[in-house]
Amino acid sequence: MDDRAGLRNQLRPDVNYERPAGGGRRLFDLVGDLHGKTILDLGCGLGGFRPQIEQRGGTWVGMDLAGERVSVVGDAYHLPFGAGSFDGVLCAALFEHIPDLDVTMREIQRVLRTGGKLFGYASFLEPFHGMSYFHMSHMGLEHLFLKHGFRPTHVFAPQIGTAYQLECMLFPKPVPVIQPIARVALQRLFAAVLAVNRGARAVMYAVRPGSGGSDSARNLYRQLLSVRFAVGFNFVAVKDETAMPVTAGYTALVRED
């Protein structure tokens, strides 16, 4: 089936895959104005995102299994909040650690008001870490959203996963100064490798006229490379149960007889 899965079946036309300048640090810019809004930081850990939410005028509610800096102690299977309690839900590196993610998604959908935003980060090519259960491709993440009444708007890769994997192999424990320098060098190296990949495909288009070398096809392929080798995905999705999913991926290739 893979040979029939063209570029347009692997990327959704209603999702923005472009990495903004600044990468994952610009995620909150995509979420928009938070003044007067209450945001649930689910799996908040040490509350590292609290300043960003409060600086943007939002009210931060942090929930985790334990910790001195949480607002509410609890688990992601039973959110102790009423329906429509939040304007946004932040899930930063949470999904991969939930064994039954469908249960958690139903709970998130319940406590988020219609039109509210679910945003954060989910692992893809990160190495196994801290009881990881599910690392998802961009298509897996989009399927999860659509399944539970969310319309994905942004899915983008903050880093190249292959470079991050090599970094983890070289530095099993954090090393000040040296590791950040190595991280930048590795990311640039593999960015150059992907540029070579795109160049090779451009040559193929040149020697094979009519093989799909239009500007739109080149752009689709560039976006596909970025998600294919992503360390993970920053995402924004809107609770919109009436949104009709655009057929893509496996669904687009299944024939209804």
Side-chain angles (χ1 to χ4, degrees):
M1 180 174 289
D2 265 358
D3 60 345
R4 294 167 49 210
L7 295 177
R8 298 187 187 279
N9 289 323
Q10 298 175 62
L11 295 170
R12 294 177 60 86
D14 56 347
V15 173
N16 188 337
Y17 297 98
E18 296 291 342
R19 179 181 182 271
R25 291 174 294 179
R26 299 299 299 274
L27 178 64
F28 281 89
D29 294 340
L30 301 176
V31 175
D33 184 22
L34 297 182
H35 280 86
K37 297 183 179 180
T38 304
I39 308 298
L40 173 62
D41 187 352
L42 186 56
C44 66
L46 298 177
F49 290 102
R50 181 174 185 173
Q52 296 190 53
I53 291 172
E54 293 182 342
Q55 287 168 8
R56 287 168 171 78
T59 299
W60 178 85
V61 177
M63 179 176 168
D64 214 321
L65 293 172
E68 297 180 356
R69 301 184 185 181
V70 305
S71 307
V72 178
V73 174
D75 67 76
Y77 292 157
H78 309 90
L79 302 185
F81 309 104
S85 296
F86 296 98
D87 302 288
V89 176
L90 168 62
C91 294
L94 173 72
F95 289 166
E96 63 265 30
H97 302 299
I98 304 295
D100 196 339
L101 194 49
D102 284 329
V103 174
T104 296
M105 288 297 295
R106 286 194 292 269
E107 280 291 272
I108 292 173
Q109 202 268 0
R110 179 182 65 82
V111 303
L112 188 63
R113 69 168 178 81
T114 300
K117 293 179 179 178
L118 170 62
F119 61 103
Y121 170 83
S123 291
F124 178 37
L125 293 182
E126 284 191 43
F128 173 86
H129 62 280
M131 299 176 65
S132 302
Y133 288 89
F134 295 104
H135 289 209
M136 290 179 286
S137 69
H138 67 288
M139 293 181 70
L141 190 61
E142 292 158 1
H143 175 79
L144 181 73
F145 292 148
L146 292 166
K147 179 180 179 181
H148 290 283
F150 291 92
R151 173 172 50 86
T153 61
H154 295 80
V155 176
F156 67 90
Q159 295 184 58
I160 300 172
T162 319
Y164 182 74
Q165 289 177 337
L166 184 54
E167 177 189 337
C168 292
M169 293 178 190
L170 294 172
F171 301 97
K173 294 289 183 180
V175 179
V177 182
I178 298 176
Q179 186 174 359
I181 294 173
R183 178 181 302 127
V184 171
L186 288 169
Q187 288 290 327
R188 289 180 177 177
L189 171 63
F190 280 90
V193 171
L194 294 184
V196 171
N197 183 300
R198 294 194 302 272
R201 191 174 178 94
V203 171
M204 180 193 74
Y205 286 147
V207 300
R208 293 173 56 190
S211 60
S214 65
D215 288 342
S216 62
R218 291 171 189 262
N219 188 50
L220 281 173
Y221 184 71
R222 178 182 58 80
Q223 293 181 29
L224 182 61
L225 274 184
S226 72
V227 298
R228 181 179 288 172
F229 297 102
V231 66
F233 299 103
N234 286 109
F235 60 81
V236 180
V238 179
K239 180 179 175 180
D240 184 0
E241 299 170 71
T242 64
M244 296 297 292
V246 176
T247 302
Y250 178 81
T251 307
L253 302 179
V254 175
R255 295 182 178 177
E256 296 183 3
D257 297 322

